[in-house]
Amino acid sequence: MENIKQAQRQRYTEAFDFLLDGDHELVVYGVLKKLHITKTNPYYDDMVQEGRIAFINKYLQALNAGKPEKEILPFIYQGVKWALLDYLRKQLTTVEHVQVPEDNVDPLAELIDPLHTVENIDTGVLIRRLGTVCTKQQMQYMILAFEWGLTVTEIANQLNVTRPTVYQLRKAVIKKIGKLF
């Protein structure tokens, strides 16, 4: 067990040495530049560290996969890019979910009254106008489909008709809407 830990530690040391050897660390900075992450970004330092960790992990994966030497750096670059994109996505998701309420705003005033939205008013006007030109069954179809949100099968069951009849009702309503506008 101790030999396994020793070998693993040796591989990580080798990966870290490869990162610091020559200009390999520029891969991390190149990915940051490609992602338009500058030093002014509040996550910059964290992303540099995350990029280094991803570099080391991808280097070890490349060795384990037996990648040829010329394919190792492109493989690492792509892995660092994916890791940093994932890190950025997680950070932005966390920030987006945090909302600080303002003290002078009544939270209940911001709630939408579902009966007085523009959508409902427009729908009501449309249904009233269609009521003058549609049959009773077509009106029943519109109420079941648009207000209740039922499926074709559910509408057919409610109206005691077949599914093709429901499709015919839909087609007739659409045609009448077209004539109104």
Side-chain angles (χ1 to χ4, degrees), residues 3-161:
N3 288 340
I4 295 172
K5 287 183 181 179
Q6 182 84 14
Q8 195 174 28
R9 198 172 302 129
Q10 178 63 30
R11 290 188 63 103
Y12 275 103
T13 303
E14 178 186 335
F16 189 74
D17 290 342
F18 183 77
L19 168 67
L20 297 178
D21 184 36
D23 59 353
H24 293 150
E25 194 171 16
L26 290 178
V27 169
V28 175
Y29 294 107
V31 170
L32 289 171
K33 184 175 181 180
K34 176 81 172 173
L35 297 176
H36 304 287
I37 305 297
T38 63
K39 290 182 179 181
T40 59
N41 188 303
Y43 302 116
Y44 182 80
D45 292 330
D46 293 338
M47 291 186 76
V48 169
Q49 293 303 322
E50 290 290 330
R52 290 175 178 152
I53 292 169
F55 185 101
I56 290 169
N57 289 333
K58 282 298 175 179
Y59 177 78
L60 292 174
Q61 283 181 4
L63 290 182
N64 290 337
K67 296 255 183 216
E69 190 173 322
K70 66 179 183 174
E71 292 179 14
I72 289 178
L73 281 177
F75 178 77
I76 292 172
Y77 179 90
Q78 192 66 39
V80 169
K81 183 178 175 185
W82 289 340
L84 291 181
L85 280 172
D86 190 44
Y87 177 81
L88 244 182
R89 180 188 52 81
K90 287 177 184 174
Q91 292 304 315
L92 292 176
T93 301
T94 303
V95 169
E96 287 173 357
H97 291 331
V98 175
Q99 294 182 355
V100 180
E102 296 178 16
D103 292 334
N104 60 350
V105 176
D106 179 18
L108 295 178
E110 294 179 12
L111 294 177
I112 297 172
D113 182 2
L115 299 176
H116 293 92
T117 62
V118 172
E119 177 185 345
N120 284 341
I121 292 171
D122 289 346
T123 304
V125 170
L126 177 64
I127 289 175
R128 278 195 298 280
R129 286 185 70 189
L130 284 172
T132 61
V133 294
C134 289
T135 65
K136 180 182 176 190
Q137 199 172 35
Q138 291 169 346
M139 287 300 295
Q140 288 174 333
Y141 163 78
M142 285 193 315
I143 291 168
L144 294 173
F146 299 114
E147 288 189 22
W148 291 13
L150 299 182
T151 65
V152 172
T153 304
E154 293 169 333
I155 294 170
N157 290 338
Q158 286 287 327
L159 297 178
N160 292 323
V161 296

